Amino acid sequence: MLDVRRMQVLRAVITSGSISEAARNLGYTPSAISQQLSTLEREAGTALLERNGRGVRPTPAGELLSEHAELLGTQLAKAEAALADLKNGRTGRLAIRYFATAGAALVPPAVTALRRELPDIQVDLKLVEPDDPLPEVEAGHADVAIVVFPRSKPPAESVELVHLLDDPYRAVLPKGHRLARKRLLDLADLAEEPWVGNEWPPGPCRDIMLQACGAAGFAPNFVVESEDYATAQGFVGAGLGVSLIPELALGAPHPAVVVRRVRRPSPVRVIYAAVAAHARDNPAVRLLIDAMKR
């Protein structure tokens, strides 16, 4: 098998016109260059150089290998540059998993910032709901997942959690509701109300709401279940009940509802970026996360 480094030495000799000149250019001794050429000729099975006065010139085989050495050198330089770009986060593929409200509010502007700074990054975006996006990071199928805490099961030790924001829950009431005149509600004020569920099947966001209601001394009476926050607002606006919805999910509230702060307790979901071990030092990941922090 031909050795690429020896082919580069051959090209240097042919370009320089002599072994001694190539040795000076490469920083080797003439004898070291001669040994490299002798080994390459054995590998090639034919003569590669012939005497030309005080110098040397290539045989047809030597000329052929010299041309290929130039091509290989160019490709190697491109490969090294591409590898450097990948290691520095300027190229490559970034797999991001998220839940719906993060996809609507956090992910789009962050991806826009990422593409503005690193336009050659390929972004793989996937909504994971109602399933949990965290296992995709734990299994190495994704680089980053946007997740909600607290939760019953901690992440794998290999996953790094980066805090993005605290997202407080707000009471959502029909316009004209007897409590709408209050700017701040005790959560217990809603104990006797019919409730509209907003996460089905139940997940960590609903668990946070139920725990807060339990701390206020009651369990909500769900009369309507919905799969998402926008639909829940529609049911509330129609007068079917009240709901607790995270602030990030409210966006532009439904025109038939009012939104009020709650206390005693004030439920909050904490949103993190879960980063896979292999992506921790990726500059693209850091840029993405910084763009999502609030």
Side-chain angles (χ1 to χ4, degrees):
M1 181 179 293
L2 298 175
D3 186 277
V4 174
R5 291 171 297 178
R6 295 190 185 104
M7 290 172 62
Q8 297 291 351
V9 170
L10 172 66
R11 175 161 181 77
V13 170
I14 293 173
T15 304
S16 302
S18 71
I19 291 176
S20 59
E21 186 66 22
R24 281 192 293 270
N25 292 337
L26 297 176
Y28 295 131
T29 65
S31 62
I33 295 293
S34 296
Q35 289 175 4
Q36 293 288 324
L37 294 174
S38 296
T39 302
L40 183 61
E41 286 186 332
R42 287 197 300 272
E43 293 172 348
T46 187
L48 303 175
L49 295 170
E50 59 187 15
R51 288 291 177 183
N52 181 32
R54 295 185 176 181
V56 293
R57 64 185 177 192
T59 65
E63 187 68 40
L64 176 69
L65 289 188
S66 177
E67 291 173 358
H68 280 281
E70 181 180 13
L71 294 174
L72 289 171
T74 300
Q75 292 302 315
L76 180 60
K78 289 181 179 179
E80 290 175 341
L83 179 60
D85 283 343
L86 182 64
K87 290 168 64 177
N88 292 324
R90 292 189 292 269
T91 60
R93 175 177 169 274
L94 195 62
I96 305 164
R97 303 294 180 256
Y98 56 91
F99 58 92
T101 52
L106 296 179
V107 176
V111 171
T112 297
L114 178 67
R115 285 184 167 164
R116 183 171 56 246
E117 296 295 325
L118 300 170
D120 294 326
I121 289 286
Q122 296 180 357
V123 180
D124 171 14
L125 295 170
K126 183 180 178 182
L127 171 66
V128 181
E129 195 168 320
D131 294 329
D132 184 2
L134 182 59
E136 293 219 17
V137 171
E138 293 176 322
H141 299 153
D143 302 297
V144 180
I146 314 305
V147 295
V148 171
F149 278 82
R151 55 175 60 211
S152 58
K153 182 181 178 182
E157 292 183 1
S158 60
V159 175
E160 177 186 1
L161 292 177
V162 181
H163 178 261
L164 297 178
L165 73 151
D166 294 339
D167 190 19
Y169 284 66
R170 303 302 188 203
V172 181
L173 314 171
K175 276 189 175 178
H177 191 278
R178 62 182 180 83
L179 295 173
R181 57 185 174 79
K182 299 179 68 173
R183 308 306 299 176
L184 177 63
L185 303 178
D186 288 344
L187 190 51
D189 292 339
L190 304 176
E192 302 302 322
E193 298 291 327
W195 279 65
V196 174
N198 50 49
E199 184 184 38
W200 193 264
C205 298
R206 184 178 177 118
D207 290 343
I208 295 169
M209 177 178 64
L210 293 177
Q211 289 168 9
C213 292
F218 72 97
N221 174 28
F222 292 105
V223 297
V224 179
E225 292 287 1
S226 61
E227 295 182 350
D228 59 77
Y229 295 119
T231 304
Q233 287 192 62
F235 286 135
V236 171
L240 297 177
V242 301
S243 193
L244 279 184
I245 295 180
E247 189 172 64
L248 192 67
L250 285 169
H254 190 284
V257 307
V258 294
V259 178
R260 297 292 183 260
R261 293 185 298 117
V262 293
R263 65 180 179 179
R264 298 176 183 168
S266 302
V268 173
R269 65 176 184 176
V270 186
I271 300 177
Y272 287 87
V275 183
H278 67 263
R280 287 181 180 178
D281 298 325
N282 188 331
V285 170
R286 295 301 168 188
L287 193 156
L288 180 83
I289 289 174
D290 288 344
M292 284 192 286
K293 286 183 177 179
R294 294 190 176 184

